[in-house]
Amino acid sequence: MRFSIIIKILGILLMLFSFTLLPPAIVAKWYGEQEVAIFGYAFLITLVTGFISWAPVWKVKQELRIRDGFLVTVLFWTVLATFGTLPLYLMTSPQLSFIDTLFESLSGLTTTGATVITSLDTLPKSILFYRQQLQWLGGMGIIVLAVAILPMLGIGGMQLYRAETPGPIKDTKLTPRITETAKALWYIYLCLTLACFLAYWLAGMSLFDAICHSFSTIAIGGFSTHDASLGYFNNSAIEAICIIFMTLAGINFALHFFAWRHRSVKHYFNDSEVKLYLCLLISISLVAAVVLYFDSPYNLSESIRYGVFEVVSIATTTGFGTADFSIWPHFLPYLLFWTCFVGGCAGSTAGGIKVIRVLLIFKQGMREIQKLLHPSAIVPIKLGKKALPERVIEAVWGYFSVYVFIFIALFLTMLALGLDLPTSFSTVASCMNNLGPALGDAAANYADLPDAAKWILCLAMLLGRLEIFTLLVLFSPSFWRR
């Protein structure tokens, strides 16, 4: 393990992260809030710590190995989430414990959207902006930005990219150089954010709310500046815009890149994962609208409006709300929660298992049925016209099995802490799939959960964001052997 280069990278990342504390300070200054000093202190502490880490090893010139990349990626999320607690810990109202600030910071950076803060409408604008910015940086920008910048500093970034990029097939590059790939993804991310901001603003949001909600929409985060989330605006145009951009953000960003490069959208509809993704959103939205129309106080237009929005929000693991789906009739709350297990497409900012894995597991199941009928047949699993290597199928099943075992372990641990069944199931599902909303005692927020439960859920958020193996590999004895 090359600890010198790892410390150097963390020092650089901390110094870079410190400058992200300046925009909230500017917001505080603009609105005349006393939080200017809080962000100033947090900026100095983070910058100095990063400089102290970087200075002794700044001359080190080494290439990252795959093991180093895994360790840096995990440390990146844990260290930055820890320093991200500073503004939240230093603010005077509301006063939060360390675990609450860590939960909120990690929830932001992992784009989970679960919160322990109540009365958002009364919070300072700068704190609200900071929470939204955490999600935007965590969504996809901060690692990709680091991958784009680190090579300029003499540090290779391919290992970081492979360790962090979500999805079962990680070696596909959009451009020949990893730096160019990172920049391409960053530009697409930025352009989608700008388009979302303009659409929200034109639809009636204030400038501040439009900026903040565009951050969390494209990041598929779900943080809002209001307790009522997007329901605060009660504006069907805003909700329609949100549905469009949540759906776009849940699609593989490589497809957005090809759409921009070739000026065509045809490949979206030729992609097996996108077709299943859109099919799931449409079919589950239809079920939700029908059930709401026949078994709720909503009329037809309201059933469609609220049903479609909540399905897309939960299925893409965004977590915005326009209605309290936890009190919807029959099986709908749990149907929505099961959709978050699927999540969005690989290579998107969404959480969940990912549509491509679910598709491959289904295809594998169908193949086993065929093999029972024709034991000697060779039945390849294909995506489109391309047969996939067996190693990919094995990796998908390996991920799924480990995911299920860890989910059960965390779920039973929450029950052991004294939480009821709906709360235990929904909070673990929500945090592990980077969703946010939950049922039971956490339906409003996570503030009343015991501290031990919050630590467990922090682990669940980290496992979900790093897609399990990136974190679990650190606990393998062979990882640390020379």
Side-chain angles (χ1 to χ4, degrees):
M1 197 67 63
R2 299 174 178 179
F3 289 106
S4 295
I5 194 65
I6 291 171
I7 293 171
K8 179 180 178 180
I9 292 172
L10 287 178
I12 292 169
L13 290 175
L14 277 175
M15 288 189 284
L16 288 173
F17 183 71
S18 71
F19 287 97
T20 68
L21 296 167
L22 296 180
I26 294 171
V27 172
K29 183 69 175 176
W30 179 266
Y31 287 100
E33 298 170 349
Q34 63 182 6
E35 279 70 24
V36 174
I38 288 175
F39 287 104
Y41 293 141
F43 165 74
L44 290 175
I45 293 170
T46 307
L47 180 65
V48 170
T49 305
F51 180 79
I52 291 173
S53 302
W54 168 81
V57 291
W58 73 275
K59 289 185 178 180
V60 173
K61 300 286 185 181
Q62 292 177 322
E63 185 71 19
L64 277 178
R65 296 178 298 189
I66 291 178
R67 294 188 187 193
D68 305 325
F70 283 121
L71 183 57
V72 167
T73 302
V74 174
L75 289 176
F76 165 83
W77 288 105
T78 52
V79 170
L80 262 61
T82 302
F83 279 85
T85 66
L86 288 172
L88 301 172
Y89 191 75
L90 293 173
M91 67 179 182
T92 55
S93 179
Q95 287 188 324
L96 300 175
S97 64
F98 174 73
I99 179 55
D100 281 346
T101 59
L102 180 63
F103 185 94
E104 195 78 13
S105 176
L106 194 59
S107 178
L109 279 174
T110 58
T111 73
T112 302
T115 185
V116 294
I117 298 178
T118 58
S119 303
L120 293 175
D121 296 274
T122 63
L123 280 182
K125 298 283 190 183
S126 54
I127 296 294
L128 292 173
F129 181 87
Y130 175 65
R131 294 170 72 249
Q132 306 297 116
Q133 181 184 263
L134 277 178
Q135 289 206 321
W136 189 68
L137 293 171
M140 192 175 73
I142 208 163
I143 260 289
V144 174
L145 184 62
V147 171
I149 288 177
L150 290 178
M152 302 176 192
L153 305 173
I155 303 167
M158 186 60 195
Q159 290 82 359
L160 278 178
Y161 180 75
R162 292 181 63 193
E164 204 282 334
T165 303
I169 305 171
K170 301 185 179 186
D171 291 329
T172 301
K173 293 184 285 186
L174 311 183
T175 59
R177 292 174 58 84
I178 185 61
T179 304
E180 296 303 315
T181 297
K183 287 179 181 177
L185 294 173
W186 176 252
Y187 291 145
I188 293 166
Y189 191 70
L190 182 60
C191 289
L192 281 174
T193 305
L194 289 173
C196 185
F197 153 68
L198 289 172
Y200 277 147
W201 192 26
L202 293 173
M205 277 191 185
S206 67
L207 184 67
F208 179 79
D209 278 337
I211 293 172
C212 290
H213 286 89
S214 68
F215 283 177
S216 53
T217 302
I218 301 304
I220 303 193
F223 273 165
S224 177
T225 55
H226 303 284
D227 289 311
S229 191
L230 257 70
Y232 170 86
F233 302 100
N234 193 26
N235 184 320
S236 57
I238 287 175
E239 292 163 20
I241 290 165
C242 188
I243 288 171
I244 291 169
F245 281 98
M246 285 189 296
T247 303
L248 287 173
I251 293 174
N252 190 331
F253 271 61
L255 296 180
H256 297 323
F257 174 83
F258 289 125
W260 170 76
R261 173 67 65 87
H262 300 289
R263 304 293 190 270
S264 171
V265 297
K266 182 173 64 174
H267 61 280
Y268 285 113
F269 303 102
N270 293 331
D271 186 271
S272 301
E273 184 180 27
V274 172
K275 286 191 285 188
L276 178 58
Y277 169 68
L278 295 177
C279 181
L280 288 172
L281 292 183
I282 293 169
S283 58
I284 297 171
S285 295
L286 181 62
V287 171
V290 169
V291 173
L292 287 176
Y293 177 66
F294 286 105
D295 289 302
S296 77
Y298 299 142
N299 59 33
L300 179 60
S301 63
E302 289 173 336
S303 298
I304 296 172
R305 175 183 173 183
Y306 296 126
V308 172
F309 184 91
E310 289 298 326
V311 166
V312 175
S313 178
I314 301 300
T316 60
T317 71
T318 309
F320 284 134
T322 55
D324 185 1
F325 74 91
S326 67
I327 60 173
W328 279 1
H330 304 303
F331 62 94
L332 279 185
Y334 284 94
L335 173 65
L336 264 62
F337 255 95
W338 284 114
T339 63
C340 84
F341 281 88
V342 178
C345 300
S348 73
T349 54
I353 294 172
K354 301 294 187 297
V355 176
I356 188 66
R357 288 196 180 100
V358 173
L359 177 60
L360 293 179
I361 289 170
F362 175 78
K363 285 178 175 287
Q364 168 70 355
M366 292 298 99
R367 180 169 73 169
E368 290 305 309
I369 293 175
Q370 286 184 279
K371 297 277 282 183
L372 286 174
L373 298 173
H374 307 285
S376 300
I378 298 175
V379 185
I381 292 179
K382 295 182 178 180
L383 279 181
K385 297 180 180 179
K386 181 181 179 182
L388 293 180
E390 287 299 313
R391 179 69 190 97
V392 172
I393 308 302
E394 291 170 5
V396 168
W397 273 108
Y399 175 88
F400 181 72
S401 59
V402 173
Y403 179 98
V404 170
F405 284 130
I406 290 179
F407 179 87
I408 292 171
L410 296 180
F411 171 53
L412 292 175
T413 303
M414 296 292 281
L415 288 174
L417 292 174
L419 300 176
D420 60 35
L421 192 65
T423 305
S424 300
F425 169 80
S426 63
T427 52
V428 173
S430 184
C431 290
M432 202 164 167
N433 293 311
N434 302 128
L435 168 63
L439 305 174
D441 295 338
N445 55 66
Y446 290 64
D448 294 332
L449 297 183
D451 287 351
K454 292 172 186 173
W455 281 108
I456 295 295
L457 296 176
C458 282
L459 175 62
M461 286 188 275
L462 198 58
L463 283 165
R465 180 56 183 165
L466 296 176
E467 301 219 342
I468 299 178
F469 285 131
T470 305
L471 180 59
L472 290 187
V473 73
L474 301 188
F475 296 92
S476 169
S478 59
F479 179 83
W480 300 98
R481 293 192 190 118
R482 290 184 178 272

